[in-house]
Amino acid sequence: MGMDSRIEIKVTNPKKVDNVVHPVGQGHATSASSPPQPSASSPPTDGQGRQQQQALEEGLRHSHGRGRQGRGLIDYMPFKNWVPWLIPGFVIANVVVFLISMFINNCPKHSSSCVGRFLGRFSFQPMKENPLLGPSADTLEKMGALDVIKVVHKHQAWRLISCIWLHAGVFHILANMLSLLFIGIWLEQEFGFVRIGLLYLFAGFGGSLMSALFIQAGISVGASGALFGLLGSMLSELITNWTIYANKLAALLTLIFIVVINLAVGLLPHVDNFAHIGGFISGFLLGFVFLIRPQFGYVSKKHIPTGYIVTSNKPKHKPYQYILWLVSMILLVLGFTFGLILLFRGVNLNDQCSWCHYMSCVPTKLWNCKSQQAYCESIEYQNQLNLTCISNGKSGIYNLSGESTSQVQQLCTKLCSR
């Protein structure tokens, strides 16, 4: 789904007293609004001194004209603007993985009704099987889709990460990659590739973890959890860096509106809204950890020229920023730890929360959510599969003959719909 992140945020003009710098020794405080006055004890009498004075005044005039924020002799340095390359690299990687999955899928070999058959091995599965124009569920499972049964019983925890690089079809990857470009490039320009790369991966992991705790039948793929993590981090970044923004309320309301709209779309059937919610919560907390900025008026000593002192002695961060950082770190560690413990113990959180399934799908007259509520427990014994539907308690025994995940899901759906 598309998420528009083009939000105009202005930086508040700094107070002139915040970044005022005095030369060491006698003389007046020097600022950008008035040229520096020569010290009474050392007037520039020779030609070299006059040239240095003129060069300094000229530099101050240019410095004052460049920025929108009134600056002191120490120019109010804007935050470093990084050149984005990681997010475009992520987009390329997702596209390459999708092409590999289509090549491995090889629809003409297994079906006579492929869509776009002229594409050869890259043709799509029949529309009735995959309306998103993509590979089969079996192929996605082989490539690393999130399959809770394999994660829990076959110790394939790597699927919690690999699934965020897979997509179910052309429409799916197109929507996600456009959203990633709009959101991710701006964040990488502002905070760099290390922070945004870690945030993307951890948020994607958080989305997969929450999805696995609530949707334990079928498979799940997509970068939506990581994308919602980036969106959540934008909201927490605005909160933790509150003092440097001018249009605070407008930016906050705009972000909240975007979040609400995208989460509302997740209430439609066949959309894994649990991954969205888990990714958003993870990204929101990670934003307080990774995207913290110095408060207004703080001047780093490494930017002070030799012979000048700073009159402002503000600490780098405000107390509330440290508190948010600490609380977020604690919640992240506890959340990931307890989530993994519950997952590997085979806990289905729907058993503990009778209404939680409505967070991913709300039934209406236009559609139902039965496919989202088909949860089965499976036991393999002596080449037989014993399935038990959790919602109605009905069970069935089937002979194992290499059933794929999609075939097991079909058997589970039949049990739960009886």
Side-chain angles (χ1 to χ4, degrees), residues 14-328:
K15 299 175 182 178
K16 292 183 178 180
V17 297
D18 285 343
N19 294 325
V20 172
V21 178
H22 290 287
V24 176
Q26 299 179 357
H28 298 289
T30 306
S31 67
S33 58
S34 61
Q37 302 296 325
S39 171
S41 60
S42 57
T45 55
D46 58 354
Q48 183 179 3
R50 284 193 296 271
Q51 290 177 0
Q52 291 175 349
Q53 180 72 10
Q54 291 173 359
L56 180 58
E57 293 178 1
E58 183 67 21
L60 286 172
R61 284 196 294 271
H62 286 302
S63 174
H64 181 68
R66 278 198 308 269
R68 293 176 300 176
Q69 308 95 346
R71 292 170 176 146
L73 180 61
I74 301 301
D75 215 8
Y76 177 72
M77 299 297 293
F79 301 113
K80 181 177 180 180
N81 197 15
W82 300 77
V83 177
W85 61 268
L86 184 66
I87 292 300
F90 281 172
V91 173
I92 294 173
N94 277 277
V95 173
V96 170
V97 171
F98 179 73
L99 292 176
I100 293 174
S101 65
M102 291 303 304
F103 181 83
I104 294 175
N105 185 65
N106 193 10
C107 180
K109 182 179 179 180
H110 306 95
S111 176
S112 59
S113 56
C114 300
V115 178
R117 199 171 183 82
F118 63 92
L119 296 173
R121 292 185 66 122
F122 294 94
S123 57
F124 310 109
Q125 290 296 118
M127 293 293 289
K128 63 180 181 180
E129 183 178 342
N130 188 346
L132 297 176
L133 297 180
S136 66
D138 290 342
T139 300
L140 292 173
E141 180 196 352
K142 293 176 183 177
M143 293 286 292
L146 179 58
D147 183 350
V148 177
I149 295 177
K150 293 185 180 297
V151 170
V152 176
H153 298 290
K154 297 188 177 181
H155 309 291
Q156 297 179 1
W158 50 268
R159 290 179 178 269
L160 293 168
I161 293 294
S162 63
C163 67
I164 68 177
W165 303 96
L166 295 169
H167 289 84
V170 173
F171 298 133
H172 190 201
I173 191 172
L174 182 63
N176 279 349
M177 293 305 101
L178 289 176
S179 300
L180 179 57
L181 287 173
F182 279 125
I183 300 173
I185 285 183
W186 178 83
L187 285 172
E188 187 178 353
Q189 285 176 334
E190 294 292 319
F191 298 98
F193 68 94
V194 175
R195 298 184 185 185
I196 302 308
L198 291 174
L199 197 153
Y200 183 89
L201 293 176
F202 279 117
F205 172 80
S208 299
L209 181 58
M210 189 166 186
S211 173
L213 289 171
F214 283 95
I215 302 179
Q216 301 192 347
I219 62 174
S220 179
V221 295
S224 298
L227 290 173
F228 270 81
L230 296 182
L231 192 60
S233 71
M234 291 177 66
L235 183 59
S236 56
E237 190 272 332
L238 176 62
I239 296 173
T240 193
N241 301 319
W242 189 256
T243 60
I244 71 171
Y245 291 115
N247 53 344
K248 301 175 175 66
L249 185 59
L252 181 62
L253 293 177
T254 303
L255 279 171
I256 292 176
F257 176 76
I258 294 173
V259 170
V260 170
I261 291 298
N262 283 279
L263 289 178
V265 173
L267 299 178
L268 298 173
H270 309 298
V271 178
D272 187 359
N273 209 29
F274 287 114
H276 298 171
I277 296 172
F280 177 81
I281 294 174
S282 300
F284 182 73
L285 295 175
L286 288 164
F288 292 120
V289 176
F290 289 137
L291 308 187
I292 186 174
R293 278 174 162 167
Q295 67 161 315
F296 228 14
Y298 167 77
V299 179
S300 176
K301 292 183 179 180
K302 67 180 180 180
H303 293 147
I304 303 173
T306 304
Y308 288 86
I309 59 174
V310 183
T311 59
S312 175
N313 205 15
K314 289 187 176 181
K316 188 172 184 179
H317 300 294
K318 285 185 172 291
Y320 79 86
Q321 291 177 306
Y322 289 112
I323 294 173
L324 289 173
W325 186 93
L326 180 61
V327 172
S328 298

